[in-house]
Amino acid sequence: MRILIADDEPGTRTVVRRILMRHFPCDVGDVDNGMDALERLGASPHALLLLDVNMPVLNGIETLRAIRGHAGTAGLPVVMMTGTTDEQVVREVVALGVSDYVIKPVRPAVIVERVARLTAGIGAGLTDPS
């Protein structure tokens, strides 16, 4: 299973990568902005994207909008990770079809629970996003 982390904070990417690799049989990639996330998702299939809201180049909302607007990635499970609790941001990502929402700082148990729930079918061989 291939998972992508898009977050401009290197420390967050490192922590989330370690959590994922400790608890799931996965290949974890990471990028620091939304444009690079879109390029990576276009280059190879992924099972899941963990996406920060506030990033340079292309923010998480713009990235999610592009993902949902492209046939190849429209159904990709996306977990937003953010320190913001702005109600307008939450409404916007929900309207765009975010799969889940995690408030930073991320807690390992929360990440594990959300990823396990969203990837349950992949482990059972029901889908194959490498």
Side-chain angles (χ1 to χ4, degrees), residues 14 19 25-26 29 31 38 45 47-48 55 57 60 66 68 74 77 83 93 95 97-98 101 115-117 120 122 130:
T14 298
I19 293 167
C26 62
V31 295
L38 294 175
L48 177 70
M55 294 184 296
V57 184
R68 293 298 182 240
V93 298
V98 72
Y101 195 89
V115 171
R117 185 175 48 78
I122 295 164
S130 297

Side-chain angles (χ1 to χ4, degrees), residues 2 4 6 15 29 51 59 62 72 80 82 87 94 102 110 117:
R2 188 174 293 131
L4 182 62
V15 167
L51 180 64
N59 71 36
E62 297 163 329
M80 296 301 285
T82 185
E87 194 173 314
V94 167
V102 174
V110 172
R117 185 175 48 78

Side-chain angles (χ1 to χ4, degrees), residues 30-76:
D30 64 84
V31 295
D32 64 3
N33 67 73
M35 187 64 68
D36 288 349
L38 294 175
E39 290 176 11
R40 187 79 59 93
L41 293 170
S44 60
H46 285 74
L48 177 70
L49 171 64
L50 291 110
L51 180 64
D52 186 19
V53 171
N54 298 311
M55 294 184 296
V57 184
L58 194 66
N59 71 36
I61 294 171
E62 297 163 329
T63 304
L64 181 59
R65 187 175 290 118
I67 287 167
R68 293 298 182 240
H70 187 273
T73 56
L76 177 70

Side-chain angles (χ1 to χ4, degrees), residues 104-118:
K104 290 181 180 178
V106 296
R107 294 189 336 250
V110 172
I111 293 290
V112 169
E113 184 272 327
R114 307 288 167 84
V115 171
R117 185 175 48 78
L118 290 169

